[in-house]
Amino acid sequence: MTIPLGLKAGTEPIQLHDRLQHQPDVFEFYLNEFDVSGDGLKRLSDKIDEVKDTTKKIVLHHPMKVGDQSVELDVSEVADPNLYRFVRESTETLIQLAKDKSIQALIHGSYNQQTPTIIAEYANFDEAQSALFNRMDYYQKYGQNNVMFENSISDLFYFGSEEMDRFILQKGYRLAFDTSHAFIKQSGSNADLQASLKRLMPNIVHYHLVDSMGGFHDSLTLGKGKIDWERAYSLMNPDATSIYEIDLVDQNDCREMLESHDYLQNLIEK
């Protein structure tokens, strides 16, 4: 069995050339705040068309930060109107672009770095989480089959516990499953990771394949951490796409992604 090759890069020409020379089956754009408006948005549209010459399976990863702030779906309009406006406008713009291009938009449900700050903008945790799910409901309805939501380590939105997974399944969201995030959130438990992969499989449309030691966000090459990849891969949705989201020594060289691909391919072939 040949595993599809999924690679990730920004819009910079040198990164695109590095990835596309390997003719990936799946390509994910790692976007920044300048890619989702004005000239940056026009350039992104052109780069999508360029990548389509290699693969039609393309994912647009919503910017993670604007300035030094995490792009939190749950940001309060009252507490931080500027961030709220950016999140709302950029998310809708990215989803619309994905619909126009017949590709996928990936939206992070939450980021762990600013979770305490976001919760403090509301009366309590439950109100903050309710506001988040209301916004995710809106974007799911807006994006339909062109949007997906990625898990994090944040208490507001994550995969791994049976209660949260069941709730997410009831919501019917299309999911992007980051293996390291789920593994870390469950304190490095392969059993919990595997159970979550199995539970959420019907709703998972995309995977971020990345290893971890299970303690913090370390983004390791596959085989360098503690995830049981043979078992984990057997529980993944075969119809979903995937990319290797690995920390690179050089952002212009995807060597660690290719090493991860070779590791998983060799493991599956044994």
Side-chain angles (χ1 to χ4, degrees):
M1 177 181 69
T2 300
I3 297 172
L5 174 62
L7 300 177
K8 184 176 184 178
T11 57
E12 294 83 355
I14 189 170
Q15 289 190 22
L16 288 175
H17 173 74
D18 175 69
R19 281 32 160 202
L20 296 182
Q21 68 177 322
H22 301 290
Q23 298 185 311
D25 302 286
V26 184
F27 184 87
E28 184 173 316
F29 279 97
Y30 180 72
L31 303 177
N32 61 47
E33 61 184 291
F34 305 108
D35 292 319
V36 292
S37 63
D39 292 341
L41 186 61
K42 174 60 169 65
R43 183 177 77 154
L44 173 58
S45 179
D46 292 341
K47 295 302 181 184
I48 291 169
D49 293 338
E50 180 182 335
V51 173
K52 276 190 170 184
D53 291 336
T54 300
T55 177
K56 302 298 187 290
K57 295 180 179 180
I58 299 171
V59 177
L60 306 176
H61 191 298
H62 192 252
M64 294 178 62
K65 286 184 175 293
V66 54
D68 61 354
Q69 292 179 289
S70 296
V71 178
E72 287 279 355
L73 286 189
D74 207 17
V75 63
S76 167
E77 183 176 10
V78 175
D80 197 336
N82 291 331
L83 181 59
Y84 173 85
R85 190 177 307 111
F86 175 83
V87 172
R88 181 69 178 256
E89 292 176 357
S90 64
T91 303
E92 291 185 356
T93 295
L94 204 65
I95 291 174
Q96 187 59 56
L97 180 60
K99 292 164 74 172
D100 293 343
K101 297 287 188 178
S102 299
I103 56 178
Q104 296 291 311
L106 185 155
I107 312 299
H108 244 278
S110 181
Y111 289 97
N112 192 49
Q113 295 93 329
Q114 286 184 213
T115 296
T117 302
I118 294 298
I119 294 171
E121 294 175 352
Y122 294 87
N124 52 52
F125 176 86
D126 289 343
E127 184 178 297
Q129 192 172 56
S130 178
L132 172 61
F133 283 119
N134 286 339
R135 291 179 189 176
M136 291 173 65
D137 289 345
Y138 168 79
Y139 290 124
Q140 180 67 70
K141 184 176 181 180
Y142 183 68
Q144 299 291 316
N145 289 327
N146 296 97
V147 68
M148 62 180 79
F149 299 101
E150 181 184 347
N151 59 313
S152 74
I153 309 170
S154 167
D155 288 339
L156 290 168
F157 183 73
Y158 63 93
F159 303 156
S161 78
E162 184 170 0
E163 181 180 9
M164 177 63 87
D165 288 355
R166 296 294 182 195
F167 180 80
I168 290 169
L169 286 172
Q170 290 172 6
K171 283 288 190 179
Y173 299 140
R174 301 174 77 248
L175 305 176
F177 195 113
D178 185 297
T179 54
S180 71
H181 292 168
F183 190 62
I184 295 165
K185 184 62 178 174
Q186 298 307 116
S187 303
S189 169
N190 272 295
D192 287 349
L193 171 64
Q194 293 160 14
S196 187
L197 285 166
K198 185 175 182 179
R199 273 193 300 268
L200 296 175
M201 182 193 296
N203 286 50
I204 298 172
V205 297
H206 186 60
Y207 294 93
H208 282 173
L209 304 181
V210 49
D211 215 335
S212 173
M213 297 301 288
F216 60 93
H217 197 268
D218 40 4
S219 302
L220 300 178
T221 301
L222 269 62
K224 302 295 184 180
K226 294 184 176 180
I227 291 179
D228 180 347
W229 285 104
E230 185 171 13
R231 181 61 177 151
Y233 192 78
S234 72
L235 295 169
M236 293 182 187
N237 187 338
D239 296 323
T241 54
S242 65
I243 61 103
Y244 299 99
E245 193 177 50
I246 314 298
D247 270 353
L248 304 177
V249 173
D250 178 357
Q251 292 301 321
N252 298 325
D253 185 347
C254 66
R255 181 178 309 169
E256 291 87 352
M257 296 182 193
L258 299 176
E259 290 173 355
S260 294
H261 183 67
D262 289 343
Y263 171 84
L264 190 56
Q265 185 65 61
N266 291 334
L267 185 67
I268 299 304
E269 288 177 350
K270 286 183 179 179

